[in-house]
Amino acid sequence: MLQKSRKITFILAIISAIIGVMLAVQLRSSLHPIHKESRSIAELRTTLQKELEKHKNLLADISKYNQLYYQYETALSEDESISVMKEELERNRRMAGMVEVEGEGIVLEVVDAHTPTEPILDEHMQVPVVGEYTIDDEDLRWLVNILFANGAQAVSINDHRLSATSAIRNVGAVIQIDTRTIQPPYEIKALGEPDVLLSAMKLEGVEENFQLANKKVLAEKRDKLLISANKETRVIQFMKPVKEKGDS
């Protein structure tokens, strides 16, 4: 009987120890919860919308180049082939900013907000950030990249047409595009689908970014927008014509 009582006591002691360990683990988990990264539905919807816009632009590019390839492949005569190449040359001249272009688009103007400068709470650190800095080259590059990434066919800043090789940089206290100095207020014209361009600016938080510098971005749709050609002189340094066989 004594041996049986000891066995029961031993079993109860083991069970109590197991329960004690489980309670300790549970208490430790409660005191030190594992933090997992979470994203709100709004953030996920915003990210999805941006990716859908990029996908749409890529599909449009694929369709355009497939059509061009088909035109080359089905050209019936040398004259027709030359005509297709001339059309492609003209398209590339427009894309490079070498000719004046016209179409629907938007006009953005970066102006003073005319509001008292107040501390703005940083989204992550929750500390005051005073909007005292001015617009610099990085802000303009960021805005231009958003426009081009969302289908803008041509962009100009203060009537200076941007090309694939244009440089936007700070030179002292002013901003220079290529070799031309620009002064505020900044007017940006972008040729493209107005609703898509405006939606992209909203998704990227353009308005909030410029508010930090006590600026606001005025946006206006235009059914007919004219953007002049790039007037910078191009110097060819590293290219030369290929000699035909037999040429000395």
Side-chain angles (χ1 to χ4, degrees), residues 92-123:
N92 284 317
R93 284 171 57 84
R94 291 196 301 270
M95 295 292 290
M98 299 172 68
V99 296
E100 189 176 69
V101 290
E102 183 180 6
E104 64 176 354
I106 61 172
V107 177
L108 309 174
E109 190 173 4
V110 182
V111 298
D112 291 330
H114 297 300
T115 57
T117 302
E118 298 179 355
I120 300 173
L121 286 180
D122 182 83
E123 181 180 357

Side-chain angles (χ1 to χ4, degrees), residues 214-228:
N214 200 27
K215 305 289 184 182
K216 61 181 178 181
V217 181
L218 305 178
E220 181 184 356
K221 294 182 183 180
R222 295 281 183 88
D223 294 330
K224 188 175 181 181
L225 184 63
L226 184 68
I227 298 182
S228 59

Side-chain angles (χ1 to χ4, degrees), residues 109-120 129-135 139 184 206-217:
E109 190 173 4
V110 182
V111 298
D112 291 330
H114 297 300
T115 57
T117 302
E118 298 179 355
I120 300 173
V129 178
V130 180
E132 292 182 347
Y133 72 84
T134 57
I135 301 300
D139 294 312
V206 169
E207 182 177 353
E208 292 79 3
N209 182 76
F210 281 90
Q211 279 179 351
L212 295 175
N214 200 27
K215 305 289 184 182
K216 61 181 178 181
V217 181

Side-chain angles (χ1 to χ4, degrees), residues 43-55:
E43 290 175 331
L44 292 173
R45 186 179 292 116
T46 298
T47 303
L48 176 61
Q49 183 64 30
K50 288 168 59 179
E51 295 302 322
L52 288 175
E53 292 293 344
K54 291 179 181 177
H55 181 67

Side-chain angles (χ1 to χ4, degrees), residues 53 146-147 150 195-206:
E53 292 293 344
I146 291 174
L147 296 172
N150 288 275
D195 291 333
V196 173
L197 297 177
L198 293 177
S199 296
M201 289 176 53
K202 187 174 182 179
L203 290 173
E204 294 288 348
V206 169

